[in-house]
Amino acid sequence: MANSKFEYVKHFEQPDVLLPNTWIVVRLDGRGFTKFANKYEFAKPNDRRALDLMNAAAKAVMTELPDITIAYGISDEYSFVFHKTCTLFERRASKIVTTIVSTFTAYYIFYWSTYFPERPLSPPLPSFDGRAVCYPSVQNLRDYMSWRQADCHINNLYNTTFWALIQKGGMEAPAAEKLLSGTLAADKNEILWSRFGINYNNEPEIYKKGSVVLRDYELVEPSSQKTAANEVDNIAEPVQQSKTQAEKEKKLRNKAQVTIQHLDIIKDEFWDRRPWLLS
Ligand code: ATP
Ligand code: ATP
Ligand code: MG
Ligand code: MG
Ligand code: MG
Ligand code: MG
C-alpha cells in the first residue's frame, strides 16, 4: 500500500467492535413501509406476496452469510442472529450491519418482480435501516426472539380484528379503532368469532407466528434433551462430544438447506430440539 500525506485521516475512524462472546442480533426494518404498502396496494392486514418476498430475501442473505444461525421475520422487519463465537469482519458493527442490510435490500429488489409481476418498482425504491445489538446470555437472546414473536402475535390479532371490522363489518377506521381500544386478546377473539365467524386459531401460521429461517438439520428427539439441569433454567445443556465430531456436525449444518418455517419460538421445545443453535 502506497503511503501518502493524506493517510492520517484513517485515524479518524472510530472502532466499533461488538462485545466478544455475545449473541449478535442484526434487525433491519423497511423505511416508510406504511406508505410503500399503500403505493403497491398491499392487502390488509397481511399481504402474503410481500411476506414471501421478505422471506426470499432473508433466505438469500442466510445462504450468502453462513455465520447467521437463525433469522426471524415479521411485517417489514427481519432479525438475523450470529453465534456468540462469530468472528465475521472481526465483529465490526458497521461492516456486519451494512453488509446484511445491503445484501437484503439487493435481493428484495432482485426478487420483487417474482412476487409482484404486475407492479414494476419505481422510485423511491424500497430501503431498510439496520442495527446490531449484543445479547450476553442465551436467556437474553431467547427473550429477544420471544419479544419479536409476541409482537407479531399482538399486532396480528389487533390488525386481523381491525380489518375485519372495516372490510366485513363496514366500519370506518376511527370507529373500529375506538371499539378496539382497551380490549384484551380474549375480547378480540370474541369479536372475530361472534361477529364474523372467524376462529383466530385457524388463521394462517405465517401471519400468527411470523417466519423462522434456519438450516434444515436433524432434530433432537423431544424427550432426549430433558435433564435435571434444564428443568431448572429451561435451557438445553449442550451435549458433550469430541471436538472433531462437533466440527464435522457444524460443517454438515452449514451445508444444510435453508428453510422457512412458521413455528413457536417462545416455547422451549423449538430450542430443545435444536440445541446447536444455542450451544
Ligand atoms: P419506519 O420507517 O419508521 O419503519 P414504517 O412505515 O415502515 O416506518 P413500521 O412500524 O415498520 O413503520 O410498519 C410497517 C408497515 O408496513 C405497517 O404499516 C404494515 O402495515 C406495513 N406492512 C409491512 N409488511 C406488510 C404486509 N406483508 N402486508 C401488509 N402490510 C405490510
Ligand atoms: P472487501 O470485501 O474487503 O472490500 P474487495 O475485493 O471488495 O474486498 P477492495 O479493496 O474494496 O476489495 O477493492 C475493490 C476491488 O474491486 C479491487 O480489486 C478493484 O480492482 C475492483 N474494482 C472496483 N471497481 C472497479 C472498476 N470500476 N473497474 C475495475 N475494477 C474495479
Ligand atoms: Mg421502525
Ligand atoms: Mg418500517
Ligand atoms: Mg416495521
Ligand atoms: Mg470492497
Side-chain angles (χ1 to χ4, degrees):
M1 256 296 164
N3 283 310
S4 77
K5 66 171 179 175
F6 308 119
E7 220 176 74
Y8 77 95
V9 297
K10 183 84 183 147
H11 299 301
F12 283 68
E13 282 185 22
Q14 296 298 299
D16 64 348
V17 175
L18 294 165
L19 197 67
N21 205 38
T22 54
W23 302 88
I24 302 169
V25 176
V26 174
R27 181 170 76 253
L28 54 77
D29 185 283
R31 178 171 181 229
F33 262 47
T34 305
K35 213 171 160 189
F36 184 77
N38 285 335
K39 178 177 170 188
Y40 292 97
E41 298 169 289
F42 283 12
K44 295 284 172 192
N46 293 297
D47 189 292
R48 180 62 202 248
R49 300 162 303 168
L51 290 177
D52 288 342
L53 173 56
M54 289 291 291
N55 291 346
K59 188 175 169 181
V61 167
M62 237 175 116
T63 307
E64 282 198 12
L65 291 137
D67 288 279
I68 301 165
T69 55
I70 183 170
Y72 177 69
I74 53 173
S75 181
D76 68 339
E77 71 166 63
Y78 242 100
S79 299
F80 296 91
V81 179
F82 293 86
H83 194 271
K84 63 179 178 164
T85 59
C86 171
T87 55
L88 179 68
F89 303 134
E90 286 82 45
R91 297 175 74 91
R92 288 163 64 187
S94 56
K95 296 266 278 188
I96 293 176
V97 174
T98 56
T99 300
I100 297 278
V101 173
S102 64
T103 306
F104 186 93
T105 308
Y107 275 104
Y108 189 92
I109 290 170
F110 178 68
Y111 285 130
W112 175 267
S113 60
T114 306
Y115 295 92
F116 291 89
E118 78 296 353
R119 292 301 307 263
L121 277 175
S122 61
L125 297 173
S127 60
F128 296 82
D129 68 56
R131 72 198 67 185
V133 181
C134 293
Y135 292 103
S137 70
V138 163
Q139 190 63 59
N140 293 150
L141 175 67
R142 279 198 49 186
D143 287 345
Y144 171 82
M145 301 298 271
S146 298
W147 172 51
R148 297 325 302 142
Q149 191 163 53
D151 219 48
C152 172
H153 168 70
I154 293 164
N155 291 337
N156 191 56
L157 179 58
Y158 181 92
N159 291 337
T160 304
T161 318
F162 178 80
W163 285 101
L165 288 168
I166 292 170
Q167 293 164 345
K168 299 185 202 289
M171 247 182 203
E172 295 292 331
E177 205 179 316
K178 199 167 162 229
L179 183 93
L180 290 179
S181 93
T183 55
L184 304 174
D187 304 321
K188 294 184 193 77
N189 274 298
E190 179 54 26
I191 292 171
L192 281 174
W193 179 243
S194 62
R195 294 204 190 190
F196 309 111
I198 297 171
N199 181 347
Y200 184 75
N201 291 330
N202 296 340
E203 288 294 293
E205 294 296 306
I206 184 173
Y207 303 155
K208 288 186 295 182
K209 299 220 166 62
S211 300
V212 186
V213 191
L214 76 176
R215 292 186 176 78
D216 199 11
Y217 191 69
E218 221 176 302
L219 296 178
V220 170
E221 282 308 311
S223 55
S224 69
Q225 276 297 303
K226 282 282 167 201
T227 64
N230 65 40
E231 261 153 39
V232 176
D233 59 12
N234 282 326
I235 307 266
E237 290 293 314
V239 184
Q240 283 300 332
Q241 56 184 179
S242 74
K243 216 173 171 182
T244 46
Q245 182 64 17
E247 282 297 311
K248 224 170 106 186
E249 286 193 9
K250 196 176 160 201
K251 275 201 185 123
L252 277 176
R253 273 200 301 277
N254 286 347
K255 275 197 205 143
Q257 178 73 24
V258 176
T259 65
I260 297 163
Q261 298 175 53
H262 316 290
L263 302 168
D264 187 318
I265 57 170
I266 297 178
K267 292 202 189 94
D268 292 337
E269 193 201 345
F270 174 85
W271 305 97
D272 287 349
R273 299 201 68 187
R274 298 166 183 82
W276 57 86
L277 287 173
L278 301 176
S279 60

